[in-house]
Amino acid sequence: AQFALFKFLAEDYNVIHLGMRSGMLETMALLGMPVFYMEPAESPSGSRMLAFSRKGIPYNRIQIQAPPGITAFGAQLSIERGIPAPSLQYWQRKVDEGTRSIKRYRPFQDNYGSYSRKTGVTFDDTGDKAARSYAKATLIGSDLGDNIRERSVIRTLQDMRGFSSGDLETITSRVEAAFRT
């Protein structure tokens, strides 16, 4: 039903799909709708996907320099280092283990926790997010995770969640041009 809806809309409107590379986007391209997919420049399967556009299927790659998330950044580092990327379950398990470990670390508790006689040390949403960010930083081999006393580390990690300004300009210029046609 979703495919039919988009195909119906595309008969009278300029429907353009934008997203990270996925099977869902491939289907939209095969149905003849213009698709822009973003993928890191280091993707090992990038050339395989270019075959679509060489055959006239409107499936257009936008190369970005870094994926918009710490988890995907970790996968990209695996590719660059020539080692298999960990499964999502493995990644989540390691992040959870690291988060629990960081929350037990006294300097982290002093910076992000609050103490109650009844519950012991507790963390608000900011503390929980900070612990997960530190755990992810440690997993990707960043020295940011080493300085657990500095709240500025969390801002730096949050900058990794989202597209860089250069990537955003590239995405915008490519997709904008499709709307003009």
Side-chain angles (χ1 to χ4, degrees):
Q2 184 180 21
F3 297 144
L5 172 65
F6 281 121
K7 190 65 176 162
F8 172 77
L9 290 172
E11 290 175 8
D12 294 317
Y13 300 97
N14 192 8
V15 176
I16 297 171
H17 299 273
L18 171 68
M20 299 301 284
R21 192 184 75 201
S22 73
M24 180 70 167
L25 287 175
E26 290 172 20
T27 303
M28 299 304 179
L30 290 168
L31 288 170
M33 290 174 269
V35 171
F36 292 88
Y37 67 96
M38 298 163 283
E39 102 181 323
E42 297 298 320
S43 176
S45 64
S47 59
R48 177 178 68 87
M49 305 316 293
L50 292 175
F52 271 61
S53 55
R54 285 195 296 272
K55 295 295 182 183
I57 299 168
Y59 196 56
N60 305 286
R61 177 169 67 169
I62 300 175
Q63 285 187 300
I64 55 177
Q65 295 308 306
I70 297 174
T71 303
F73 185 72
Q76 181 177 338
L77 285 177
S78 296
I79 292 167
E80 290 170 1
R81 294 172 181 159
I83 57 175
S87 70
L88 186 56
Q89 292 82 11
Y90 174 83
W91 174 263
Q92 291 300 338
R93 189 173 62 249
K94 288 298 194 184
V95 169
D96 290 345
E97 289 170 7
T99 300
R100 285 190 298 276
S101 175
I102 287 164
K103 283 182 172 182
R104 289 190 296 265
Y105 189 56
R106 182 66 187 197
F108 183 82
Q109 292 175 358
D110 292 343
N111 203 14
Y112 289 98
S114 60
Y115 182 77
S116 158
R117 273 192 208 166
K118 187 175 182 180
T119 60
V121 178
T122 59
F123 300 94
D124 61 10
D125 193 44
T126 301
D128 288 335
K129 287 179 181 176
R132 289 191 71 74
S133 293
Y134 279 115
K136 288 178 180 181
T138 303
L139 279 175
I140 63 173
S142 170
D143 58 0
L144 294 173
D146 296 338
N147 195 351
I148 211 157
R149 291 179 180 89
E150 295 295 326
R151 283 182 175 249
S152 62
V153 171
I154 299 308
R155 281 192 298 280
T156 305
L157 284 167
Q158 287 169 342
D159 288 345
M160 296 173 74
R161 292 188 182 105
F163 294 104
S164 70
S165 58
D167 284 340
L168 197 54
E169 286 176 25
T170 301
I171 295 163
T172 303
S173 66
R174 292 281 307 279
V175 175
E176 245 180 15
F179 276 109
R180 290 189 192 119
T181 60

